């Protein structure tokens, strides 16, 4: 029991920050993000015995959090595609507020969820293509295509924005 | 590697260390610039995505967990009652050993491998792959649209873990040869719904995601269907 508690505390220490940031980009609300992380860890505690390989803990926790978020939406009877990070502007104080970063954040907000999610996993936490494929349960090539399109879309949006700025 | 391939690679995985890509970059000025541009874009994305984590989050998580499972310091009276409870449980457990519901280890396994349950992009696997799993347990089937099949450890024993697409619904079926329950048990942990039933091959679990109301509504129907779809190979 003692070992389980120590192991669990290590998991909380190591990954709660990452899970919070990921949750934030899934739901766009601070309070909901923390709730999601709390629920994730409660479930993880319950099924900790099923985690055989410590190295897969981060992916395992991320998968649980994704699932908790999906359950939240199902409870609200909303479509997953309806996720809009509308609350972000009101919580700006938590972000880098330089204009170019704000423009990029806006572009990220407009990115379809299926492109934004793998990008968050890759850029923010360094998940590789295989790990992302495992979390989403999709082929590795599909992940590669989505990441490719995500960056292309961001580049296009940012180029468009630059053109607009230069015309003003 | 040509410029197009290099750029495609960098757009999906900027940090990849590919020898062929590096060789191309070293001789192509345009691709060197492209790599720098993508690297800069990723740095900016990282900054844009970064959000401050609330102070004391880890402590609150640990506190929340401990509050959900309150612990009492055992007194002598508590020790006595615990000992009495222990003997009662042991004797009842012994009587009903064969009826162990198995729900917890089965659900723990599914929670550990939820991606085997999900995934709209799953495609049916071949009959050979399915049969190679079932052969291990001396079972045959004519079931179709199996999207996942593997021999998995559950509670220290090997079981057949199968995922079936049934119309627009999806079910996990587990064949548990080491167990022989004497009656059907309901599974309902808020996340998963289903049954564990006696089966000629030992026990069979049929489980649906509790959020998928259509799949849950059909559980009784598919339970019977899957029960009769898996049969012991004649002579075993």
């Amino acid at each position: 029991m003692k070992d389980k508690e120590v192991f669990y505390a290590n998991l909380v220490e190591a990954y709660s920050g990452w899970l919070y940031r990921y949750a934030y980009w899934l739901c766009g609300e601070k309070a909901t993000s923390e709730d999601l992380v709390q629920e994730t860890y409660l479930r993880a505690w319950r099924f900790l015995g099923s985690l055989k390989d410590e190295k897969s803990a981060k992916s395992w926790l991320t998968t649980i959090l994704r699932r908790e978020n999906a359950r939240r939406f199902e409870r609200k009877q909303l479509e997953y595609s309806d996720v809009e990070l509308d609350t972000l502007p009101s919580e700006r104080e938590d972000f880098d507020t330089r204009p170019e970063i704000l423009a990029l954040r806006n572009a990220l907000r407009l990115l379809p969820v299926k492109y934004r999610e793998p990008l968050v996993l890759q850029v923010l936490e360094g998940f590789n293509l295989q790990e992302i494929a495992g979390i989403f349960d999709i082929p590795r090539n599909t992940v590669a295509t989505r990441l490719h399109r995500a960056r292309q879309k961001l580049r296009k949006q940012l180029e468009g924005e630059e053109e607009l700025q230069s015309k003003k | 590697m040509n410029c197009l391939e290099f750029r495609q690679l960098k757009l999906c995985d900027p940090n990849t260390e590919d020898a062929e890509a590096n060789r191309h970059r070293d001789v192509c000025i345009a691709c060197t610039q492209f790599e720098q541009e993508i690297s800069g874009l990723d740095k900016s994305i990282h900054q844009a995505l970064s959000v401050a984590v609330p102070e004391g989050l880890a402590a609150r998580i640990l506190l929340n967990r401990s509050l959900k499972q309150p612990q009492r310091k055992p007194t002598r009276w508590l020790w006595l009652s615990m000992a009495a409870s222990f003997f009662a449980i042991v004797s009842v457990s012994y009587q009903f050993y064969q009826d162990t519901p198995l729900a917890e280890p089965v659900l723990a396994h599914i929670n550990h491998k939820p991606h085997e349950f999900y995934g709209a992009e799953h495609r049916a696997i071949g009959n050979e792959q399915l049969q190679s799993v079932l052969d291990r347990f001396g079972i045959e089937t004519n079931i179709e649209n199996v999207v996942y099949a593997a021999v998995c450890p559950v509670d220290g024993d090997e079981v057949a873990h199968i995922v079936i697409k049934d119309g627009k619904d999806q079910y996990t079926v587990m064949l548990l040869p080491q167990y022989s329950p004497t009656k059907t048990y309901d599974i309902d942990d808020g996340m998963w719904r289903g049954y564990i039933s006696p089966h000629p091959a030992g026990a069979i679990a049929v489980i649906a995601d509790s959020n998928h109301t259509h799949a849950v509504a059909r559980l009784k129907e598919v339970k019977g269907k899957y029960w009769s779809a898996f049969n012991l190979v004649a002579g075993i």
Side-chain angles (χ1 to χ4, degrees):
Chain A
M1 187 67 179
K2 191 82 183 161
D3 285 351
K4 184 182 175 185
E5 280 177 0
V6 171
F7 180 55
Y8 181 77
N10 288 341
L11 290 182
V12 172
E13 198 61 46
Y15 302 121
S16 55
W18 148 247
L19 290 172
Y20 177 84
R21 283 190 287 266
Y22 179 50
Y24 192 87
W25 279 97
L26 286 179
C27 70
E29 295 166 356
K30 288 184 196 175
T32 311
S33 303
E34 182 158 346
D35 287 348
L36 279 172
V37 178
Q38 291 279 10
E39 289 299 321
T40 299
Y41 274 106
L42 283 177
R43 200 166 287 278
W45 170 262
R46 199 171 154 204
F47 295 107
L48 203 57
S50 66
L51 176 65
K52 301 293 180 208
D53 182 6
E54 202 177 327
K55 285 179 198 159
S56 62
K58 190 167 68 172
S59 297
W60 181 64
L61 289 166
T62 305
T63 305
I64 297 175
L65 190 136
R66 278 193 91 226
R67 174 146 177 70
E68 286 300 322
N69 187 51
R71 285 163 61 78
R72 184 178 69 89
F73 272 92
E74 278 167 5
R75 278 197 296 269
K76 283 186 176 181
Q77 295 186 318
L78 287 171
E79 289 297 318
Y80 194 68
S81 58
D82 287 344
V83 180
E84 286 295 340
L85 303 177
D86 288 338
T87 56
L88 285 179
S90 62
E91 298 184 356
R92 263 182 199 176
E93 72 276 12
D94 281 346
F95 288 111
D96 188 331
T97 51
R98 283 175 292 167
E100 65 273 22
I101 300 297
L102 282 177
L104 186 53
R105 189 167 309 121
N106 199 37
L108 282 163
R109 194 171 64 82
L110 296 171
L111 209 57
V113 176
K114 70 174 182 176
Y115 297 134
R116 185 172 60 221
E117 246 197 296
L119 195 66
V120 173
L121 290 170
Q122 190 186 52
V123 176
L124 210 47
E125 196 57 19
F127 281 95
N128 64 37
L129 298 187
Q130 202 57 49
E131 289 170 325
I132 299 171
I135 289 168
F136 294 168
D137 196 22
I138 57 177
R140 185 183 181 281
N141 285 345
T142 307
V143 175
T145 306
R146 288 184 186 177
L147 286 165
H148 183 279
R149 289 188 186 151
R151 287 193 175 86
Q152 270 188 328
K153 281 175 185 288
L154 284 178
R155 288 173 76 218
K156 267 189 192 163
Q157 279 183 17
L158 292 176
E159 278 167 16
E161 197 132 327
E162 271 174 26
E163 268 176 35
L164 266 177
Q165 292 294 330
S166 61
K167 279 180 189 167
K168 278 180 186 174
Chain B
M1 181 174 281
N2 59 32
C3 292
L4 182 65
E5 288 166 339
F6 179 87
R7 287 165 192 227
Q8 280 178 336
L9 182 69
K10 287 292 164 183
L11 278 168
C12 68
D13 197 0
N15 296 319
T16 184
E17 277 303 324
D18 182 278
E20 216 182 315
N22 289 348
R23 273 197 296 278
H24 174 79
R25 180 199 55 203
D26 292 345
V27 296
C28 179
I29 296 169
C31 283
T32 304
Q33 285 174 347
F34 181 81
E35 188 183 52
Q36 285 166 354
E37 186 210 323
I38 295 300
S39 171
L41 175 67
D42 263 30
K43 267 185 203 160
S44 300
I45 294 173
H46 191 279
Q47 286 166 343
L49 290 173
S50 293
V51 52
V53 176
E55 262 183 54
L57 175 65
R60 283 197 296 281
I61 293 167
L62 293 172
L63 180 68
N64 192 21
R65 210 275 307 156
S66 62
L67 289 175
K68 295 265 159 135
Q69 291 194 341
Q71 290 176 346
R72 290 168 61 189
K73 199 174 176 183
T75 59
R76 200 172 65 155
W77 184 242
L78 186 61
W79 278 118
L80 284 171
S81 56
M82 279 166 67
S85 307
F86 173 75
F87 284 113
I89 289 165
V90 166
S91 57
V92 171
S93 301
Y94 180 76
Q95 261 184 307
F96 294 100
Y97 179 73
Q98 289 298 310
D99 279 356
T100 303
L102 265 175
E104 189 145 338
V106 164
L107 292 175
H109 179 73
I110 295 179
N111 275 301
H112 183 52
K113 296 190 121 190
H115 53 282
E116 264 85 18
F117 190 90
Y118 293 100
E121 295 173 44
H122 267 318
R123 287 186 190 153
I125 60 168
N127 278 342
E128 272 181 30
Q129 194 185 336
L130 172 62
Q131 200 51 53
S132 72
V133 170
L134 295 180
D135 281 349
R136 188 96 158 236
F137 305 100
I139 297 169
E140 59 187 3
T141 185
N142 55 2
I143 203 87
E144 291 181 338
N145 291 325
V146 171
V147 294
Y148 175 82
V151 177
C152 294
V154 166
D155 211 19
D157 292 313
E158 286 189 339
V159 308
H161 180 171
I162 293 156
V163 180
I164 302 166
K165 271 226 185 287
D166 198 316
K168 58 183 179 180
D169 302 320
Q170 190 160 294
Y171 298 94
T172 284
V173 173
M174 282 197 195
L175 293 152
L176 307 129
Q178 286 84 355
Y179 299 91
S180 44
T182 53
K183 60 177 186 179
T184 295
Y185 289 93
D186 290 344
I187 293 177
D188 185 359
D189 75 336
M191 224 170 142
W192 308 101
R193 292 271 295 273
Y195 302 95
I196 295 179
S197 311
H199 187 269
I204 185 170
V206 179
I207 297 159
D209 184 336
S210 57
N211 289 310
H212 296 162
T213 46
H214 191 261
V216 170
R218 292 182 57 219
L219 260 172
K220 269 193 182 164
E221 169 205 334
V222 298
K223 181 184 75 161
K225 186 166 78 173
Y226 298 151
W227 192 93
S228 50
F230 294 94
N231 299 299
L232 282 175
V233 176
I236 291 184

